[in-house]
Amino acid sequence: MASLARASPLVQLLCLNLLSMLCVSCDAFTAKDYSEALEKSILFFEGQRSGKLPPSQRLTWRGDSGLSDGSSYHVNLVGGYYDAGDNVKFGLPMAFTTTLLAWSVIEFGSSMPSQIENARAAVRWSADYLLKAATATPGTLYVQVGDPNNDHKCWERPEGMDTARTVYKVSAQNPGSDVAAETAAALAAASIVFKDADPSYSSKLLQTAMKVFDFADKYRGSYSDSLNSAVCPFYCSYSGYQDELLWGASWIHRASQDSSYLAYIQSNGHTLGADDDDYSFSWDDKRAGTKILLSKGFLEKNSEEFQLYKAHSDNYICSLIPGTSSFQAQYTPGGLLYKGSASNLQYVTSTTFLLLTYAKYLGANGVSVSCGPTTVTAESLITQARKQVDYILGNNPARTSYMVGFGNKYPLHVHHRGSSVPSVHSHPGRISCNDGFQYLYSGSPNPNVLVGAIIGGPDSNDHFADDRNNYQQSEPATYINAPFVGALAFFSSKAA
C-alpha cells in the first residue's frame, strides 16, 4: 500500500477500482445481516395487501383498498395480495406465492423464531382470501379481481383506484385446472403451517384443498383458454395444467398422508410430467418443485414409488452446478443464475429455495448427488445457494442490493404504483388514472419505501438501470419474495 500511496492520483484510482472489483467476492454477510433481510422480506407482503388493513400494519403509508371487491357479483372477495406493481389480484401467482411462503415456513420455520408470527400472518393473509374464493359459490373458483388491460392503462395507488373491479372465475363449463390445482396446493401447504398453531383453521384449509383439487381434476382444462385476454399474456399458463395437478396432489398427500393421493400420483404421474426433466421453477411451471417435494419420500423412507422423482431431482440439481458433466445453467459474469430478461430474480429465488430444501433432505439422510463422475454434497448446494442470496443482497458487480431498504445502496425508482404515488395519508386528495403517470415518469425516488421488495434484477451482464419505467428490472412481485423467505431463514441461523 506504501507504493500505491506514491503513485499518481490516476493510477491510485485505477488500482482502487481494480481492488473493488476483485473484492466483489470478499464480502461476507453475517447471521445478523440475513436476519435483517429476513424480517424485511416478510414485511414486504404488508405493502402488497389488499383489503382492510389491521392495526398491526407496519408499512403505514398503505391504506385500506379494494373494500368492495366481489360485491357487484354478490360475493366477498376482499383481501389477498396485489401480485406486483399494479392493482390486480391474479389468482395463479397469488396461490403460488402462498404455496412457496408456506413451504418456506414448513422447511425453515424453526430457523426464524423471531419472525415466525409475521411469516404465519403473511401466509394467512392470502390463505384467507383463497378460502373465500374457493367457497363463496359451489362449483366455482374465483380466480381474479381487476381487469389487467384497464388497470395497466392507469397509474393509481390502490387506495384510490377507480378502474372496474371485474371478477373472473372458473367452473365446470369454463375450467381452470391449473389455477384450481395451484389453489389446492396453497391451501394444503398452508394447512401444514397452521397444524399446531391453529388446528381448526388448518383442518378447514385442508378440507377445502381436497374439494378444490377434485374440481381441478374432474373438470380439466387451462384457465388461459377459459379467460383468454384477462390472464394472457400477464399470467398465461404456458406450461399447461398437468404440472399443477401433480403438484397439487403432492401437497395434499404431504399435508394429509392420505393414501388415495399417493395412488393418484402413482397412477397419473407419467401423464402429468413425472418423466420430464425440467430446469425452471416458477408460478407457471411446477415440475422441478414437485420432483424435489416428492423426493423427500424416497430419501426418508426409501419409498420405491418416489425413486423416479429423486432421479429427476438429481438431474435438476446437477444442471445448476458448474463443473459437472450435466451443467447447463447460465450465469452472469458476476455469478447470478440467469433465466430471462423479465423479472429474472424470480427464478433465482425459487431455484435457491430448491437448492436449500434438497440440501436439507440430502443432509438429513446422509446422501449426496452423483453428477456423472462428480459427487455433489449437501454442502455444495448450500454454497451455491449462498452465492445467489449474497448477490441479491449486494455482493455483486454493481455493488447494489436488489432488496429495497436493505444495505447502503438499493433501488429507489421501483415500478410500483402504491410506492411511487404519494401516500393517501400525505396526499388525501384524489390522484386520477392519468394524473398518476407523472409519478411513473418522475426522476425522483419513490416517496414510499416498499421495504423488503426484491425487484426483477440485473441483465445477463450484471447491468441494472434504476429506472421505474423499466418494469423488467425494477418491478417487485410476491412470488420473487416468497421462496427467498425460506432461504434467508436458513442462512440467518448459520454463522457467516
Side-chain angles (χ1 to χ4, degrees):
M1 278 298 171
S3 59
L4 178 59
R6 289 194 297 270
S8 70
L10 178 60
V11 172
Q12 288 183 41
L13 181 62
L14 290 171
C15 289
L16 288 171
N17 283 341
L18 179 61
L19 284 170
S20 176
M21 292 170 65
L22 290 173
C23 280
V24 163
S25 60
C26 300
D27 288 351
F29 291 105
T30 64
K32 185 178 179 182
D33 294 328
Y34 295 123
S35 294
E36 179 193 342
L38 169 64
E39 179 179 7
K40 290 177 175 177
S41 72
I42 299 169
L43 180 59
F44 157 74
F45 288 94
E46 295 191 14
Q48 298 303 112
R49 284 173 168 172
S50 181
K52 179 73 175 174
L53 300 184
S56 59
Q57 174 78 12
R58 293 174 292 168
L59 285 186
T60 54
W61 51 266
R62 280 296 321 279
D64 299 341
S65 63
L67 297 181
S68 60
D69 281 1
S71 61
S72 58
Y73 297 78
H74 308 293
V75 290
N76 177 4
L77 296 175
V78 176
Y81 290 122
Y82 302 115
D83 69 303
D86 55 26
N87 300 326
V88 181
K89 298 192 298 201
F90 291 99
L92 182 57
M94 195 196 306
F96 180 67
T97 291
T98 309
T99 310
L100 268 289
L101 255 181
W103 200 3
S104 287
V105 175
I106 292 164
E107 300 296 349
F108 304 111
S110 61
S111 297
M112 56 170 103
S114 67
Q115 291 301 316
I116 191 66
E117 290 304 320
N118 289 327
R120 286 197 193 113
V123 173
R124 190 186 282 260
W125 193 269
S126 49
D128 281 351
Y129 172 83
L130 295 174
L131 272 176
K132 291 180 185 178
T135 59
T137 306
T140 299
L141 175 67
Y142 293 95
V143 300
Q144 188 167 309
V145 181
D147 178 344
N149 296 288
N150 287 333
D151 179 271
H152 290 184
K153 291 175 183 175
C154 293
W155 195 262
E156 295 178 301
R157 58 197 178 195
E159 294 82 0
M161 59 184 168
D162 51 12
T163 49
R165 301 299 286 168
T166 312
V167 171
Y168 301 89
K169 62 185 180 181
V170 294
S171 62
Q173 295 75 31
N174 294 287
S177 300
D178 28 34
V179 67
E182 182 61 64
T183 300
L187 293 169
S191 78
I192 302 174
V193 170
F194 292 100
K195 189 171 186 179
D196 295 327
D198 191 339
S200 62
Y201 182 62
S202 172
S203 178
K204 184 177 183 181
L205 290 168
L206 183 55
Q207 295 306 311
T208 306
M210 291 175 172
K211 291 176 184 175
V212 176
F213 181 80
D214 289 346
F215 167 78
D217 189 42
K218 184 176 181 180
Y219 304 107
R220 292 195 178 189
S222 172
Y223 93 137
S224 300
D225 294 331
S226 295
L227 298 177
N228 302 306
S229 63
V231 297
C232 295
F234 313 100
Y235 291 104
C236 228
S237 184
Y238 298 104
S239 68
Y241 60 80
Q242 291 82 0
D243 56 310
E244 276 87 10
L245 286 173
L246 190 58
W247 172 245
S250 301
W251 270 111
I252 297 176
H253 176 255
R254 172 95 175 246
S256 67
Q257 294 301 305
D258 185 326
S259 60
S260 67
Y261 292 94
L262 175 59
Y264 179 95
I265 292 165
Q266 290 175 284
S267 300
N268 296 278
H270 296 293
T271 60
L272 298 178
D275 300 318
D276 302 339
D277 271 324
D278 190 71
Y279 302 102
S280 184
F281 180 47
S282 69
W283 57 262
D284 177 41
D285 193 340
K286 317 298 158 52
R287 286 173 291 184
T290 304
K291 309 291 170 48
I292 300 287
L293 180 67
L294 291 177
S295 70
K296 187 174 187 282
F298 178 75
L299 288 165
E300 290 184 350
K301 302 173 185 174
N302 208 26
S303 304
E304 190 176 325
E305 58 268 27
F306 294 132
Q307 185 172 5
L308 172 69
Y309 299 99
K310 164 68 167 64
H312 282 291
S313 294
D314 287 354
N315 293 344
Y316 169 71
I317 292 299
C318 292
S319 75
L320 298 167
I321 308 299
T324 66
S325 57
S326 307
F327 174 64
Q328 60 173 273
Q330 178 184 349
Y331 289 87
T332 68
L336 181 70
L337 177 69
Y338 191 79
K339 285 280 186 182
S341 59
S343 193
N344 179 61
L345 289 187
Q346 67 175 301
Y347 304 106
V348 179
T349 59
S350 63
T351 300
T352 297
F353 178 83
L354 292 186
L355 282 167
L356 291 173
T357 299
Y358 204 48
K360 179 186 173 184
Y361 297 168
L362 294 171
N365 296 282
V367 179
S368 56
V369 176
S370 295
C371 300
T374 307
T375 298
V376 177
T377 64
E379 280 302 317
S380 300
L381 304 190
I382 292 169
T383 298
Q384 191 66 13
R386 188 191 288 269
K387 289 177 183 175
Q388 301 306 301
V389 171
D390 288 0
Y391 186 107
I392 291 173
L393 295 182
N395 190 1
N396 56 59
R399 314 298 287 172
T400 186
S401 163
Y402 291 107
M403 175 185 281
V404 176
F406 181 86
N408 296 322
K409 181 184 177 186
Y410 52 82
L412 301 175
H413 306 86
V414 180
H415 183 95
H416 188 277
R417 286 160 175 77
S419 175
S420 64
V421 177
S423 167
V424 69
H425 303 304
S426 63
H427 189 297
R430 183 171 178 267
I431 299 174
S432 68
C433 168
N434 290 324
D435 288 346
F437 281 105
Q438 62 181 300
Y439 302 107
L440 169 63
Y441 301 121
S442 167
S444 301
N446 287 18
N448 312 307
V449 181
L450 188 61
V451 177
I454 303 167
I455 55 164
D459 66 16
S460 58
N461 291 309
D462 302 297
H463 297 148
F464 172 72
D466 188 5
D467 176 1
R468 194 179 295 111
N469 206 31
N470 181 353
Y471 70 89
Q472 294 96 332
Q473 291 194 331
S474 66
E475 187 169 18
T478 56
Y479 45 85
I480 303 179
N481 273 59
F484 207 55
V485 168
L488 290 169
F490 174 83
F491 287 116
S492 72
S493 66
K494 308 291 179 186

